[in-house]
Amino acid sequence: MAPASAMELEAPPPASASAAAAKEIKSPEVLPEPSSLSALQRKKLGAHFLESDERRFSRGCRTPLGGGYDEPPSSAAGAGGTTPVNIRGEPIRDLSRTGGWVAAFFIFGNEMAERMAYFGLSVNMVIFMFKVMHRPFTSSANAVNNFLGISQASSVLGGFLADAYLGRYWTIAIFTTMYLLGLIALTVSASVPALVPTQEGCDKLAMLLGACAPAAPWQMAYLQTALYVTAFGAAGIRPCVSSFGADQFDERSAGYKRRLDRFFNLFYLAVTLGAIAAFTAVVYIQMQHGWAAAFGTLALAMGASNALFFVGTPLYRHRLPGGSPLTRVAQVLVAAFRKRNAAFDSGDFVGLYEVAGAKSAIRGSAKIDHTDDFRWLDKAALQLEGDLAGGGEEAVNPWRLCTVTQVEEVKILLRLLPVPACTVMLSVVLTEFLTLSVQQAYTLNTRVAALHLPVTCMPVFPCLAIFLILALYYQTFAPLARRLTGHPHGASQLQRVGLGLFFSILSVAWAGLFERYRRGYAVRHGYLALFLTPMPDLSAYWLLIQYCLIGVAEVFCLVALLEFLYQEAPDAMRSVGSAYAAVAGGLGCFVASAINTAVDAATRNDAEGRPSWLAQNINVGRFDYLYWLLAVLSTINLLVFVYFAKRYKYRVRVDTQQTTVVVNNKQ
């Protein structure tokens, strides 16, 4: 009898096939160590999988195993694996009436408004807390950094809820409503005089001296509650929107890779448009009409995008949630620990366990082929004689025996970790630019001819660079790179991530060079103490070079990262996979704060009169040294990324609809 695998899909034999060779069974490569198992043990393992398939034919049904192995509802029985369903969980009979670019554009609007609100708050809330709530500037900056960090780092919560219980649609629906309520509360805070301290006698001098009436504790409590409701709203939206948009495309159709690549580019274009609106229109509204109008604009934009998202409901394709991913991960770790002393060459070794048939035991997921990475985790799927005694698959305890697919989910999550982890340094550079470059801009001339931009509008230039690059990506970079690499998309996802990290090094290195020149210019021309006075002969538009370089870095790194995580993550964990990118962004905010704190403590010496590199007077401080430190750390980070990228193997997805399995007639 030839060894068989339950990882292969059963398909009807061709009409011309002889009875002696109607089906062919491929022996799965499930060995934790190619040389550690004998041919007899390989055959035993294959025989186990064939036996599973034979049981499937005799029983005609799949057995729910519990604990993350929930069986799909009867209405979705035909929608096994990753087949899309409608909002009621029923298989979609006519896919041509749903999904595609039309459905995706309804989703783009939601992300554009969310990014507009996110960046609108990041650029305005520090000033609002400082000028209106009369908080110290450092305290205001820390509060906003915490908002930015929490809204990204807690994205794993939204991804967990989406993959485990709610699905991406309902997660977006709930959290986008929460986001809207938070923005409304912030608008009320800026509109109702009782919610802010008195502004009487609080001129510019009193503000700088800290002599303005401070906000009452309950006023700050209201503001921070509204701010963190908004942050958690963003945490539920961010990991789901890109994945939900990508779900609208049929991965079994021709040209799927090309459409997915274009989708993520357009998705990030929507993100960029939201940021541009925040750095221009929202800043203008705030300057001309006040804080209430600015926050109200963000609330109106989010309300309109929510309405647009719900209008598109009949068009959306959905994926069934697969149960708690954390539970499945915990089961693998516990089961592997329990069998840590079991050996693959023991006499009662049967094989690596997998349920029978083409469907995975995990709802919303196709089966995943076995790999040889993290071989110690294979102990969780190690089936020994007697594991299925007394009831067969019905009696399986997933805390003692897991399927190969469940084990491979954990392996994939571990393999993915180094890639988003290496993008944390890019987020650090972005965070530092958002604050430090604005301080640089205060000392520079922001006029070009008759055009005068407020300093708070300066971050719009990276967004404009991103917009331009994305718009020209398929007409410029992709064809050129395709000639050099032969890759159909110009470069692989990991190559684009690495290219983005390289451009971030160039950006921060240039920033160090220009800051050294800017500081020397201030010293030579008598502006050493005038750190809030623009130097008329030195243009702020020299900052455009570092802004454009960091924009290029974002295009290549973050767009490719989103696409990479969506395609490589397990089918039932794609929201959690997308949350990896957001968590990396949040960690970047916290790491930037930690670096600033460490640099300040290490470089300041009040006893010797030595100022910190990050002194409030930028002309006395040494921002250039900090930029070069970031360049060194980014270079080390790039080398680490290259190491992991060269070792990474992309997932191989088998088109199960076209797989032909042949069984040898010799039983």
Side-chain angles (χ1 to χ4, degrees):
M1 180 179 67
S5 171
M7 307 290 287
E8 300 283 337
L9 176 65
E10 177 76 23
S16 60
S18 65
K23 298 179 183 177
E24 177 184 352
I25 304 285
K26 293 183 178 180
S27 179
E29 295 183 4
V30 296
L31 307 177
E33 187 113 30
S35 61
S36 64
L37 296 181
S38 66
L40 177 62
Q41 291 166 332
R42 288 174 180 263
K43 186 174 181 180
K44 182 188 292 186
L45 177 58
H48 163 68
F49 285 123
L50 179 60
E51 182 185 355
S52 296
D53 279 346
E54 289 171 344
R55 285 200 306 272
R56 174 170 64 90
F57 292 128
S58 64
R59 287 159 47 194
C61 63
R62 197 191 79 187
T63 303
L65 302 181
Y69 293 126
D70 300 330
E71 186 174 16
S74 58
S75 60
T82 60
T83 303
V85 297
N86 61 22
I87 195 171
R88 296 182 296 276
E90 301 168 346
I92 299 174
R93 300 186 183 278
D94 186 2
L95 289 178
S96 64
R97 296 179 178 271
T98 62
W101 287 110
V102 176
F105 278 112
F106 281 96
I107 299 168
F108 283 149
N110 187 267
E111 178 62 12
M112 189 183 304
E114 190 275 322
R115 295 283 88 185
M116 178 179 172
Y118 176 82
F119 287 110
L121 293 177
S122 68
V123 75
N124 283 307
M125 187 52 65
V126 173
I127 303 173
F128 177 78
M129 285 190 173
F130 179 68
K131 290 187 175 181
V132 178
M133 303 303 290
H134 306 154
R135 302 290 297 175
F137 188 83
T138 303
S139 175
S140 302
N142 287 340
V144 174
N145 281 340
N146 290 337
F147 160 74
L148 298 177
I150 289 174
S151 68
Q152 296 188 78
S154 59
S155 294
V156 70
L157 172 63
F160 167 77
L161 291 175
D163 286 340
Y165 306 112
L166 300 177
R168 288 185 263 278
Y169 173 85
W170 288 111
T171 303
I172 296 172
I174 293 171
F175 281 87
T176 198
T177 303
M178 183 187 302
Y179 204 128
L180 177 60
L181 293 176
L183 291 174
I184 292 173
L186 289 174
T187 305
V188 171
S189 175
S191 304
V192 178
L195 294 176
V196 298
T198 179
Q199 306 299 312
E200 293 182 4
C202 187
D203 54 18
K204 186 175 182 179
L205 179 60
M207 196 177 301
L208 290 174
L209 295 176
C212 297
W218 68 270
Q219 292 172 328
M220 284 303 303
Y222 175 87
L223 178 63
Q224 290 178 341
T225 300
L227 195 61
Y228 288 121
V229 167
T230 306
F232 281 110
I237 297 172
R238 190 170 293 115
C240 299
V241 174
S242 61
S243 297
F244 188 54
D247 287 345
Q248 306 311 309
F249 300 94
D250 187 2
E251 60 189 19
R252 297 165 297 181
S253 63
Y256 169 72
K257 292 270 191 178
R258 177 176 54 83
R259 281 191 290 273
L260 196 66
D261 183 54
R262 289 183 178 270
F263 165 78
F264 281 105
N265 275 276
L266 289 174
F267 176 82
Y268 211 78
L269 189 63
V271 170
T272 304
L273 289 174
I276 290 174
F279 293 132
T280 54
V282 176
V283 170
Y284 174 81
I285 291 171
Q286 186 275 317
M287 294 179 65
Q288 297 297 320
H289 304 286
W291 297 104
F295 295 152
T297 299
L298 299 178
L300 287 174
M302 180 57 70
S305 74
N306 287 2
L308 185 68
F309 175 78
F310 290 121
V311 165
T313 298
L315 300 174
Y316 299 144
R317 299 173 184 175
H318 305 261
R319 301 292 175 92
L320 294 171
S324 170
L326 296 183
T327 300
R328 295 202 301 275
V329 171
Q331 287 170 347
V332 170
L333 298 178
V334 170
F337 179 78
R338 283 179 166 178
K339 291 189 175 180
R340 64 192 181 279
N341 295 323
F344 287 97
D345 57 356
S346 63
D348 57 350
F349 169 64
V350 175
L352 296 182
Y353 175 69
E354 182 58 273
V355 295
K359 296 179 182 178
S360 165
I362 301 168
R363 185 174 62 175
S365 174
K367 284 185 176 178
I368 305 175
D369 290 333
H370 178 266
T371 62
D372 289 333
D373 296 331
F374 305 107
R375 291 189 290 268
W376 57 275
L377 288 174
D378 287 335
K379 295 291 184 72
L382 180 62
Q383 182 183 344
L384 304 176
E385 293 288 352
D387 278 350
L388 297 183
E393 290 185 359
E394 294 89 340
V396 169
N397 179 359
W399 294 96
R400 290 185 176 274
L401 181 62
C402 303
T403 64
V404 169
T405 296
Q406 186 176 350
V407 173
E408 290 301 319
E409 280 190 326
V410 181
K411 290 184 181 181
I412 290 171
L413 291 180
L414 292 175
R415 282 197 297 268
L416 290 179
L417 267 178
V419 177
C422 288
T423 65
V424 170
M425 273 309 302
L426 174 62
S427 300
V428 170
V429 173
L430 288 169
T431 302
E432 297 287 18
F433 276 179
L434 193 62
T435 54
L436 302 184
S437 63
V438 170
Q439 288 182 261
Q440 289 176 295
Y442 272 114
T443 70
L444 303 171
N445 181 11
T446 58
R447 290 184 180 272
V448 173
L451 178 64
H452 174 63
L453 284 179
V455 170
T456 49
C457 285
M458 293 301 292
V460 76
F461 289 107
C463 301
L464 293 175
I466 294 171
F467 180 86
L468 181 63
I469 295 166
L470 286 174
L472 300 176
Y473 181 84
Y474 291 102
Q475 287 73 35
T476 55
F477 172 78
L480 177 61
R482 194 178 299 121
R483 293 178 183 177
L484 298 175
T485 65
H487 194 280
H489 303 296
S492 70
Q493 295 154 356
L494 291 180
Q495 286 172 338
R496 283 181 280 158
V497 171
L499 191 58
L501 296 178
F502 174 72
F503 273 104
S504 72
I505 296 172
L506 296 181
S507 174
V508 75
W510 166 261
L513 289 173
F514 175 71
E515 171 57 21
R516 183 177 181 86
Y517 176 80
R518 187 212 61 80
R519 182 181 181 277
Y521 185 95
V523 173
R524 290 193 304 271
H525 292 80
Y527 286 94
L528 188 62
L530 305 175
F531 63 96
L532 292 179
T533 301
M535 296 179 284
D537 295 328
L538 190 57
S539 174
Y541 293 92
W542 282 105
L543 296 173
L544 292 185
I545 296 177
Q546 67 198 54
Y547 283 155
C548 290
L549 288 172
I550 200 64
V552 173
E554 282 195 76
V555 168
F556 285 113
C557 183
L558 299 186
V559 175
L561 179 65
L562 289 174
E563 182 181 345
F564 170 79
L565 292 174
Y566 179 81
Q567 287 196 263
E568 295 296 304
D571 296 324
M573 293 186 180
R574 279 175 166 169
S575 297
V576 172
S578 297
Y580 272 13
V583 170
L587 289 176
C589 296
F590 296 130
V591 171
S593 297
I595 290 175
N596 290 347
T597 301
V599 165
D600 184 69
T603 59
R604 184 178 59 189
N605 190 322
D606 295 333
E608 298 179 3
R610 186 176 70 225
S612 165
W613 288 1
L614 299 176
Q616 185 170 344
N617 182 345
I618 187 175
N619 295 333
V620 172
R622 298 306 304 251
F623 281 19
D624 53 335
Y625 289 172
L626 177 64
Y627 282 139
W628 288 336
L629 173 63
L630 295 178
V632 172
L633 294 177
S634 297
T635 301
I636 296 172
N637 176 75
L638 176 60
L639 295 176
V640 173
F641 170 80
V642 170
Y643 170 79
F644 283 107
K646 293 180 76 172
R647 293 170 59 89
Y648 187 84
K649 295 180 181 179
Y650 288 88
R651 286 182 63 188
V652 177
R653 297 177 181 271
V654 179
D655 187 353
T656 55
Q657 290 188 341
Q658 299 179 5
T659 303
T660 301
V661 184
V662 184
V663 174
N664 194 315
N665 192 31
K666 298 178 181 179
Q667 299 289 332

